[in-house]
Amino acid sequence: MTVKTLQDLLAEGVEGRGVLVRSDLNVPLDDGVITDPGRIIASVPTIKTLAEAGAKVVVTAHLGRPEGTPDPALSLAPVAAKLGEELGRNVQLAGDVVGQDALARSEGLTDGDVLLLENIRFDPRETSKDDAQRQKLARALVELVGDDGAFVSDGFGVVHRKQASVYDVAELLPHYAGALVAAEVDVLRKLTTDTERPYAVVLGGSKVSDKLAVIEALAPKVDTLVIGGGMCFTFLAAQGIPVGSSLLQQEMIDTCKDLLDRFADVIHLPVDIVAADKFAADAESKTVAANEIPDGWMGLDIGPESAKRFAALLTEARTVFWNGPMGVFEFEAFAAGTRAVAEALVTATGKGAFTVVGGGDSAAAVRTLGLPEDAFSHISTGGGASLEYLEGKQLPGISVLDDGEA
């Protein structure tokens, strides 16, 4: 692929030019308060570099799933405030996506100014399956940066989506990979080519169906595949083990049997479970063997023996990819398994391993548990995009940047 980067754009010159940046600012909110600003912080370097070089920066991003209609609860107002704080400069927030306020504010920008458009998903055309509708929105976005504008793709968490602000604008403007997107792609290439062994993958989360494609893609290539989280109970059930009222995908049991048959020497499942009498932070809990979950009880974390075994495998690996928590880490009583895996990656990193936290809940867990982010080789901002890349899928938001294909 031939993809121009942010450095290429800077070399061409951005002073006085409008630059549209697609960032991933989709952060969790609790009653309007940002609980994890990780994606905002990760987006700062590209925006700051452009602003300091004298560009008129117009940032577009989404928050949540407003289904194409404005929702005050999903306004980017708190994001604009936090972004401005991290940048150390004022960030204007347009009152609309591509309407009169956005147009007026973009026309009034001076060199080094930063304008954040309101939640792009307030406009139904952003996610439309109709090419003509998406392209119409893309043309309106292009109008905000002018005829000599440029587009910088820096929202890795959305590059697996064929959406107006991700894909269609890149067909209308000179396009470049931002620092974040370029770094993410470099990391994922390292996980798929010339990987140093032993290579271990840790998968958690709730559903087997969400991770099936990546299991199929990676199991033949790795030395160790550790499975925890809610998805482990479907694998345990596939072995004929009763799982109480634990999360279970009945329709996936035969698929899990097949995977266990084919990759028995690679797949590792928990041998003990922290079970609870209900799904709650204050639930009664006890550690039981994986085949002894009581009727009516549910597994909410891997047990200490499983954590010890998984950690032993991970600390000896030379490459580790982790996507998905081992349990309900948001509840302190069920966070130990996830912490053990995270700390094993920290140890492996310290021994020279290349460790990647694959975005989403895993990245949130690292921050929630108070672990230093620089203790891992890389923390991805895009869980879904990372998984689709590792599955071997083409990511529309990356392929459109290729000057041979765009």
Side-chain angles (χ1 to χ4, degrees):
M1 291 182 73
T2 305
V3 177
K4 287 188 175 182
T5 66
L6 180 63
Q7 295 307 311
D8 293 319
L9 175 57
L10 293 171
E12 293 165 16
V14 296
E15 188 172 359
R17 293 176 66 186
V19 178
L20 179 69
V21 180
R22 190 9 164 136
S23 296
D24 181 5
L25 305 175
N26 186 28
V27 292
L29 294 177
D30 182 5
D31 196 24
V33 177
I34 297 168
T35 57
D36 179 4
R39 284 176 170 159
I40 296 174
I41 294 168
S43 299
V44 164
T46 290
I47 298 170
K48 187 173 186 178
T49 297
L50 287 166
E52 290 181 347
K56 301 171 183 178
V57 186
V58 178
V59 181
T60 182
H62 75 280
L63 182 63
R65 297 180 178 178
E67 308 297 338
T69 55
D71 179 353
L74 294 176
S75 168
L76 286 172
V79 172
K82 181 62 177 175
L83 181 60
E85 178 185 321
E86 293 295 329
L87 285 170
R89 65 179 67 216
N90 179 57
V91 173
Q92 299 182 54
L93 176 67
D96 48 29
V97 179
V98 289
Q100 289 185 345
D101 191 52
L103 191 58
R105 287 178 182 270
S106 65
E107 289 176 346
L109 292 177
T110 59
D111 297 1
D113 283 352
V114 179
L115 168 65
L116 176 62
L117 305 178
E118 188 51 282
N119 192 334
I120 188 72
R121 289 188 183 170
F122 284 179
D123 192 314
R125 297 173 295 181
E126 165 71 355
T127 57
S128 175
K129 301 300 182 187
D130 184 332
D131 290 354
Q133 288 297 310
R134 290 198 322 275
Q135 289 162 10
K136 190 174 180 181
L137 174 57
R139 285 193 293 272
L141 287 167
V142 170
E143 187 179 354
L144 300 178
V145 293
D147 294 338
D148 67 340
F151 171 63
V152 174
S153 176
D154 207 42
F156 182 73
V158 289
V159 293
H160 58 314
R161 307 295 188 194
K162 192 174 183 179
Q163 296 176 348
S165 68
V166 178
Y167 180 87
D168 298 270
V169 290
E171 295 193 309
L172 300 174
L173 286 171
H175 42 261
Y176 308 81
L180 179 60
V181 161
E184 294 272 13
V185 172
D186 283 347
V187 164
L188 291 172
R189 283 180 181 152
K190 191 169 181 179
L191 289 176
T192 52
T193 60
D194 195 28
T195 307
E196 192 174 355
R197 309 188 84 97
Y199 182 8
V201 170
V202 187
L203 296 177
S206 58
K207 296 182 178 179
V208 177
S209 54
D210 290 344
K211 305 287 170 71
L212 177 61
V214 79
I215 293 172
E216 290 277 10
L218 293 180
K221 302 175 183 177
V222 304
D223 301 290
T224 299
L225 177 56
V226 167
I227 294 177
M231 62 188 288
C232 78
F233 299 107
T234 303
F235 278 92
L236 292 172
Q239 295 180 318
I241 294 172
V243 296
S245 59
S246 304
L247 190 62
L248 177 65
Q249 282 189 284
Q250 193 75 38
E251 74 281 5
M252 295 297 294
I253 287 179
D254 287 343
T255 300
C256 290
K257 283 180 182 176
D258 175 61
L259 289 168
L260 289 168
D261 287 342
R262 286 190 286 144
F263 305 112
D265 58 333
V266 172
I267 293 176
H268 297 263
L269 297 173
V271 295
D272 59 347
I273 297 292
V274 180
D277 63 347
K278 60 182 178 180
F279 186 86
D282 61 350
E284 181 184 346
S285 64
K286 58 185 175 182
T287 299
V288 297
N291 62 353
E292 294 179 359
I293 300 173
D295 287 345
W297 286 56
M298 62 185 71
L300 295 185
D301 194 13
I302 62 171
E305 182 59 28
S306 302
K308 182 180 176 181
R309 293 187 184 196
F310 290 175
L313 291 167
L314 300 177
T315 54
E316 295 306 312
R318 296 297 298 168
T319 304
V320 187
F321 173 74
W322 170 35
N323 181 281
M326 296 294 97
V328 187
F329 71 90
E330 297 89 346
F331 298 158
E332 181 59 35
F334 309 106
T338 301
R339 179 181 289 280
V341 163
E343 290 177 344
L345 263 70
V346 170
T347 299
T349 310
K351 294 166 67 174
F354 181 66
T355 59
V356 179
V357 180
D361 288 340
S362 305
V366 167
R367 290 186 277 267
T368 298
L369 296 172
L371 297 170
E373 294 186 41
D374 60 4
F376 304 86
S377 302
H378 181 75
I379 297 181
S380 178
T381 56
S386 296
L387 291 178
E388 290 199 14
Y389 188 101
L390 294 175
E391 289 164 19
K393 291 183 179 178
Q394 191 173 66
L395 307 182
I398 298 297
S399 61
V400 76
L401 300 178
D402 186 346
D403 286 327
E405 296 179 38

